Amino acid sequence: MAKMKTSSYLVAAAIGLALMAGCASGQGGAIPDSSATSLDWEGVYRGVVPCADCEGIATTITLRKDGSYNLATEYQGRNAAAFNRQGKFTWDPSGGVIAIDGPRDRPNRYLVGEGYLLQLDMEGKRISGPLADHYRLAKLPTPSPPETPALTGTTWRLVELFGAPVALLAGPQNPFIVLDEAGHRIEGYGGCNRFTGAYELKNGGRIAFSGIATSLRACPDMETESGLFKVLEMTDNYAIAGPQLSLHKARMAPLARFEVAPPP
């Protein structure tokens, strides 16, 4: 009886080890990583691939997360003949190769590696020979998003007033505002007069201007300046989107828009 129990234990252990081995070999386990799942493949790839009857084909491919692509090619030395194509691409079952849709009379499959695409031949195989490395397209660095300018310490040039664009001059004499963080002061130029005042920031992007004092010059056209002073009187909140600052009253359309002034 004891021998039968021992045999049963041995059989159960053997089955358990077999199941563990099956899991370790990938049977019933997690799907292994692939280029599609483990690489940061979205972006722009560029290179010059060999050409049978020209100096080379300058090739730029843009791959996007939604499965779309853009392919730009320029045949060098052939009157700079350029072509642009866009569409969808799909991954092969291994997750390592993409195929772009479109004409089938030219290579349309690429091996996806860390920081590069490798153009494959018409049968989807690696190209061999002395020119093999020339079929590699390098991924371009992803540009950093532009920094959001600070509300304070930035020279904001007026570009729109009550929904109408403001005509800008070639020189620096355009209406602008600058907010000083240390003294909670605003200073600027309305198109005719310099002005100063105070501002107060509150939670939720709220802002209020007060005590606006100006110089006393008289100019032929003071409509823009008068409108700017009216805006500062009405404003109770602001927003910064990219390089633009907008001043609002409640949830109304922007009373005025400003952009970062170019350096003098």
Side-chain angles (χ1 to χ4, degrees):
M1 191 71 172
K3 289 183 178 181
M4 292 180 62
K5 289 184 178 181
T6 302
S7 299
S8 298
Y9 291 149
L10 291 174
V11 170
I15 293 174
L17 289 173
L19 291 175
M20 292 173 63
C23 291
S25 65
Q27 297 177 7
I31 299 174
D33 286 339
S34 65
S35 297
T37 58
S38 63
L39 297 183
D40 180 20
W41 51 262
E42 183 181 23
V44 181
Y45 299 80
R46 184 172 296 162
V48 179
V49 300
C51 174
D53 57 355
C54 68
E55 297 175 5
I57 306 174
T59 304
T60 302
I61 299 181
T62 302
L63 300 181
R64 305 181 185 90
K65 286 291 187 184
D66 63 0
S68 65
Y69 78 89
N70 189 84
L71 171 62
T73 55
E74 181 177 336
Y75 288 75
Q76 299 177 338
R78 193 200 288 176
N79 296 325
F83 302 91
N84 202 322
R85 180 153 51 101
Q86 52 191 345
K88 294 289 186 177
F89 67 88
T90 54
W91 292 90
D92 74 345
S94 73
V97 174
I98 62 167
I100 62 176
D101 61 12
R104 292 294 182 261
D105 60 348
R106 65 198 66 181
N108 70 330
R109 280 173 282 191
Y110 298 85
L111 175 73
V112 181
E114 182 68 55
Y116 69 90
L117 296 180
L118 188 65
Q119 181 178 304
L120 304 178
D121 65 14
M122 294 292 294
E123 297 179 356
K125 299 178 181 179
R126 284 176 177 262
I127 298 172
S128 58
L131 297 179
D133 288 341
H134 293 265
Y135 290 91
R136 180 185 294 254
L137 308 178
K139 186 179 181 184
L140 302 184
T142 303
S144 301
E147 294 185 6
T148 301
L151 172 66
T152 59
T154 300
T155 300
W156 295 103
R157 181 175 63 177
L158 181 67
V159 295
E160 183 180 294
L161 193 61
F162 295 113
V166 173
L168 298 177
L169 304 175
Q173 294 303 307
N174 290 291
F176 70 88
I177 61 173
V178 178
L179 278 65
D180 173 51
E181 182 177 14
H184 285 176
R185 303 289 299 173
I186 178 176
E187 63 178 40
Y189 174 68
C192 180
N193 289 283
R194 295 273 179 175
F195 64 89
T196 62
Y199 73 89
E200 180 183 6
L201 288 177
K202 301 179 182 179
N203 293 333
R206 292 181 295 166
I207 190 170
F209 300 98
S210 61
I212 301 297
T214 77
S215 54
L216 300 177
R217 291 183 59 198
C219 299
D221 183 5
M222 301 183 65
E223 183 177 355
T224 297
E225 181 169 289
S226 298
L228 175 57
F229 292 156
K230 183 69 173 177
V231 164
L232 296 178
E233 180 183 330
M234 297 172 61
T235 295
D236 61 15
N237 69 93
Y238 74 94
I240 296 178
Q244 285 200 336
L245 163 70
S246 56
L247 299 181
H248 303 253
K249 179 174 178 60
R251 296 186 178 182
M252 296 169 54
L255 302 173
R257 294 185 193 272
F258 301 79
E259 65 181 18
V260 178

